[in-house]
Amino acid sequence: MSLDHLPWRRPASYDDRPCVRDERTELTYAQLGRRVDAAAEQLAARGVGPGSVVAVMLPNRVELLVTIMAAWRLGAAATPINPTFTASEADHQIGDSGALVVVATDPTVVQGDIVVLGVDALATTPAGTLPAADTSTDDLALLVYTSGSTGRPKGVMLDHGNIDAMIASMGEAIAIRPDDHCLLVLPLFHVNAICVSWLTPMSVGAQLTVLQRFHPVEFLRAVETYRPTYFSAVPTIYSHLVALPVDVQPDVSSVRFAICGAAPAPPELFAAVEARFGFPLVEGYGLSEGTCASTCNPVDGVRKPGTVGPALPGQLVAIMAPDGSLVPNGERGEVVIKGGNVMRGYLNRPEATAETLGDGWLHTGDVGILDEDGYLRIVDRIKDMIIRGGENIYPKEIENVLHSDPSVLEAAVVGGPDPVYGEVVVAFVSAAPDSPAAAVDVDALLERCRAELTKIKVPVAVHVLEALPKNPVGKIDKPHLRALVAAAGVTTGKGV
């Protein structure tokens, strides 16, 4: 383990290299190190030390990165909180994590007696009072909270060894190098942004530019201005980019590849991005419990549309039958993972930890198939599976058919209650950008489904929404859609 992403472990030769910037601040590696030490001194004065937890409730900005590393400088862990959370949501994460200090934009938003430090009060010049750093791979580094699609969010415990393994795995897969430059647009309360966009380039002395939010035109303007070599984003972002008017022709020649992850995307989207912008778009797959990513289509090599690529270096991805045996390539089962990136467990949740890690494999809850070359195709979530009259139906197959219609931006399929079959297929779609919801021809979508799917997979209803609901990390919120179906009884008809 190298821990080369930590400022106190970096080579002195990095000192004057450009390190990180946002719209307010630009720092070299040496300047970042000093800012980290200054913030660490403040946290130490408030009682933070080895084993403590620091909560960081900030939008994307340089100070968020500084605060996380300042906690690490003291042997503490950091838990990044979605800055748009309500007080109840934030209080749950702060209380569950046992955070000692919260760093926030607005100190008044945090309730209770916890110590709150306003981001504008963070020191920038260290006094030199800190002892030498002593960071171990076994030290807890991050408490990343799951999106909470079932019950209250759980804290995923990631230690420095997990992060180091993830950086090494991803860095080798994308051939990260010192002259790379990542444009970070995903929210930094998510481990994807932390590991893929931030720490991986930091480990080799590359550059990072942090954007606070995404807007299609502003994002492309940032690409032209900062000249990044790669970025990572979710399918919705790429859908918005390819939907821009044809006269929007940005100079994206600096980008050598882009990564798509966090949610399933249809193969048509990848083809559209590559045709429109000219750089390869590679799809990856992983979980917070695996410190972000476990597979990815290669940047230089065979990319198979419809798959999320082979296992990343240093990881083992397999398919498991319900009886716990591993099945051959070509057979369907649960995706399971081994590697140094697999989490320590869930904070204070021994039963959930045992359920997910008990047999030595990380159980993902995803249904997948490995092909003859070891490329993984995700069929669906086990919990999303619809059982209609005893037949298993996987929503992703139906969603892919709906996505293939050019009028559809996003699609989600859930099970609706039915007195005869138990469950039936219900679909929700949103219209492509700049198109009214009325432009979606529901009859044509149903006819497309009838032509490409067996009868039991054809939705009993297709509902057109202005936008599909999302959870805090940008994934379509299927529990919300299921609740809508259950509450409104929208299992029949064309729309709601």
Side-chain angles (χ1 to χ4, degrees):
M1 297 290 180
S2 63
L3 304 181
D4 285 343
H5 57 283
L6 300 174
W8 49 96
R9 300 289 291 266
R10 59 170 166 74
S13 59
Y14 289 3
D15 280 359
D16 296 327
R17 294 179 64 89
C19 179
V20 60
R21 68 181 60 78
D22 61 17
E23 60 187 23
R24 308 174 188 82
T25 307
E26 184 165 356
L27 302 174
T28 65
Y29 275 83
Q31 290 168 335
L32 173 66
R34 288 194 289 273
R35 291 281 291 268
V36 167
D37 282 355
E41 290 173 346
Q42 283 183 294
L43 294 177
R46 288 160 174 80
V48 175
S52 301
V53 176
V54 175
V56 190
M57 193 173 177
L58 298 173
N60 281 13
R61 56 187 294 177
V62 165
E63 288 81 4
L64 191 159
L65 313 181
V66 168
T67 303
I68 290 176
M69 284 189 162
W72 293 348
R73 178 69 174 80
L74 299 172
T79 186
I81 301 176
N82 184 342
T84 67
F85 267 2
T86 64
S88 174
E89 291 169 320
D91 286 349
H92 167 72
Q93 185 169 337
I94 292 168
D96 189 75
S97 67
L100 187 64
V101 175
V102 180
V103 177
T105 307
D106 179 4
T108 66
V109 302
V110 180
Q111 308 298 311
D113 298 328
I114 191 168
V115 176
V116 183
L117 180 61
V119 66
D120 292 332
L122 282 178
T124 58
T125 303
T129 60
L130 295 176
D134 183 22
T135 311
S136 167
T137 56
D138 294 330
D139 291 341
L140 185 64
L142 290 172
L143 283 170
V144 177
Y145 277 71
T146 60
S147 56
S149 59
T150 56
R152 293 288 254 175
K154 301 186 292 291
V156 174
M157 296 188 290
L158 302 175
D159 58 34
H160 283 286
N162 295 143
I163 292 174
D164 200 67
M166 184 71 258
I167 292 171
S169 187
M170 179 57 66
E172 182 178 344
I174 65 175
I176 193 73
R177 55 201 189 203
D179 61 349
D180 272 319
H181 180 179
C182 181
L183 184 63
L184 188 156
V185 66
L186 294 179
L188 275 160
F189 57 82
H190 192 275
V191 73
N192 184 314
I194 291 174
C195 287
V196 177
S197 297
W198 172 31
L199 297 177
T200 296
M202 292 298 96
S203 69
V204 296
Q207 291 187 59
L208 174 68
T209 295
V210 178
L211 301 182
Q212 184 167 330
R213 63 183 64 84
F214 172 76
H215 181 278
V217 173
E218 292 174 1
F219 177 81
L220 292 175
R221 188 176 298 126
V223 172
E224 291 188 310
T225 300
Y226 297 113
R227 312 299 294 157
T229 59
Y230 81 97
F231 58 89
S232 179
V234 294
T236 301
I237 285 178
Y238 294 108
S239 295
H240 283 295
L241 292 176
V242 298
L244 288 169
V246 293
D247 60 346
V248 177
Q249 297 288 334
D251 178 4
V252 296
S253 58
S254 66
V255 179
R256 66 183 181 96
F257 69 95
I259 302 172
C260 183
E268 293 83 0
L269 178 61
F270 292 85
V273 169
E274 295 194 21
R276 176 78 184 261
F277 299 108
F279 51 74
L281 178 61
V282 298
E283 186 172 14
Y285 161 81
L287 294 80
S288 297
E289 290 87 341
T291 323
C292 176
S294 290
T295 74
C296 191
N297 271 282
V299 174
D300 299 308
V302 176
R303 298 193 300 278
K304 294 189 179 185
T307 80
V308 291
L312 290 174
Q315 300 189 47
L316 179 61
V317 175
I319 305 298
M320 183 175 287
D323 64 3
S325 62
L326 300 184
V327 304
N329 288 5
E331 293 190 18
R332 174 177 303 195
E334 184 182 14
V335 180
V336 292
I337 298 166
K338 281 186 178 181
N341 56 298
V342 173
M343 69 170 179
R344 181 186 298 182
Y346 295 113
L347 179 68
N348 299 326
R349 303 287 185 92
E351 292 182 0
T353 299
E355 181 181 352
T356 305
L357 301 176
D359 62 357
W361 291 92
L362 169 60
H363 286 255
T364 67
D366 289 316
V367 182
I369 300 171
L370 289 169
D371 71 10
E372 66 279 4
D373 299 316
Y375 283 61
L376 177 64
R377 180 165 64 89
I378 299 297
V379 176
D380 224 310
R381 289 286 298 170
I382 290 175
K383 293 178 181 178
D384 285 348
M385 186 175 67
I386 300 166
I387 304 177
R388 181 191 185 277
E391 296 284 345
N392 294 344
I393 298 173
Y394 294 94
K396 188 169 184 250
E397 180 182 6
I398 305 165
E399 291 162 356
N400 285 342
V401 173
L402 296 169
H403 275 130
S404 66
D405 188 291
S407 69
V408 172
L409 173 65
E410 292 183 308
V413 169
V414 299
D418 184 87
V420 176
Y421 297 106
E423 285 185 301
V424 290
V425 176
V426 182
F428 293 84
V429 300
S430 63
D434 302 322
S435 297
V440 178
D441 187 336
V442 171
D443 288 329
L445 287 179
L446 288 170
E447 188 57 38
R448 182 185 290 265
C449 289
R450 294 187 189 103
E452 299 187 34
L453 300 166
T454 59
K455 184 177 180 179
I456 66 169
K457 298 177 184 178
V458 175
V460 300
V462 176
H463 303 289
V464 183
L465 305 181
E466 291 297 326
L468 299 191
K470 304 293 197 309
N471 67 20
V473 297
K475 297 181 181 180
I476 294 173
D477 190 348
K478 286 194 173 182
H480 179 87
L481 293 177
R482 292 190 194 96
L484 177 62
V485 171
V490 289
T491 56
T492 60
K494 295 179 182 178
V496 291

PDB file of all heavy atoms in Angstrom, residues 15 232 302 328 368 398:
ATOM      1  N   ASP A  15       5.393  19.529  -5.521  1.00  0.00           N
ATOM      2  CA  ASP A  15       5.058  20.761  -4.797  1.00  0.00           C
ATOM      3  C   ASP A  15       4.488  21.868  -5.675  1.00  0.00           C
ATOM      4  O   ASP A  15       3.483  22.486  -5.343  1.00  0.00           O
ATOM      5  CB  ASP A  15       6.293  21.288  -4.058  1.00  0.00           C
ATOM      6  CG  ASP A  15       6.542  20.543  -2.757  1.00  0.00           C
ATOM      7  OD1 ASP A  15       5.747  19.643  -2.434  1.00  0.00           O
ATOM      8  OD2 ASP A  15       7.548  20.857  -2.079  1.00  0.00           O
ATOM      9  N   SER A 232     -15.974  11.814 -15.220  1.00  0.00           N
ATOM     10  CA  SER A 232     -16.889  10.732 -14.899  1.00  0.00           C
ATOM     11  C   SER A 232     -18.260  11.330 -14.616  1.00  0.00           C
ATOM     12  O   SER A 232     -18.361  12.352 -13.926  1.00  0.00           O
ATOM     13  CB  SER A 232     -16.387   9.949 -13.671  1.00  0.00           C
ATOM     14  OG  SER A 232     -17.274   8.910 -13.328  1.00  0.00           O
ATOM     15  N   VAL A 302     -11.227  -3.654 -26.251  1.00  0.00           N
ATOM     16  CA  VAL A 302     -12.566  -4.002 -26.723  1.00  0.00           C
ATOM     17  C   VAL A 302     -13.611  -3.488 -25.743  1.00  0.00           C
ATOM     18  O   VAL A 302     -13.583  -3.821 -24.554  1.00  0.00           O
ATOM     19  CB  VAL A 302     -12.714  -5.524 -26.887  1.00  0.00           C
ATOM     20  CG1 VAL A 302     -14.142  -5.881 -27.295  1.00  0.00           C
ATOM     21  CG2 VAL A 302     -11.721  -6.040 -27.914  1.00  0.00           C
ATOM     22  N   PRO A 328     -20.987 -21.116 -14.092  1.00  0.00           N
ATOM     23  CA  PRO A 328     -20.106 -20.864 -15.244  1.00  0.00           C
ATOM     24  C   PRO A 328     -20.507 -19.592 -15.995  1.00  0.00           C
ATOM     25  O   PRO A 328     -21.628 -19.095 -15.860  1.00  0.00           O
ATOM     26  CB  PRO A 328     -20.324 -22.100 -16.126  1.00  0.00           C
ATOM     27  CG  PRO A 328     -21.020 -23.098 -15.276  1.00  0.00           C
ATOM     28  CD  PRO A 328     -21.782 -22.341 -14.254  1.00  0.00           C
ATOM     29  N   GLY A 368     -26.579 -10.741 -12.674  1.00  0.00           N
ATOM     30  CA  GLY A 368     -25.708 -10.515 -13.821  1.00  0.00           C
ATOM     31  C   GLY A 368     -25.294 -11.799 -14.507  1.00  0.00           C
ATOM     32  O   GLY A 368     -25.549 -12.906 -14.026  1.00  0.00           O
ATOM     33  N   ILE A 398     -36.925  -4.366 -20.222  1.00  0.00           N
ATOM     34  CA  ILE A 398     -38.037  -3.557 -20.715  1.00  0.00           C
ATOM     35  C   ILE A 398     -37.610  -2.099 -20.832  1.00  0.00           C
ATOM     36  O   ILE A 398     -37.949  -1.401 -21.800  1.00  0.00           O
ATOM     37  CB  ILE A 398     -39.245  -3.711 -19.776  1.00  0.00           C
ATOM     38  CG1 ILE A 398     -39.594  -5.192 -19.613  1.00  0.00           C
ATOM     39  CG2 ILE A 398     -40.453  -2.945 -20.310  1.00  0.00           C
ATOM     40  CD1 ILE A 398     -40.519  -5.478 -18.455  1.00  0.00           C
TER      41      ILE A 398
END
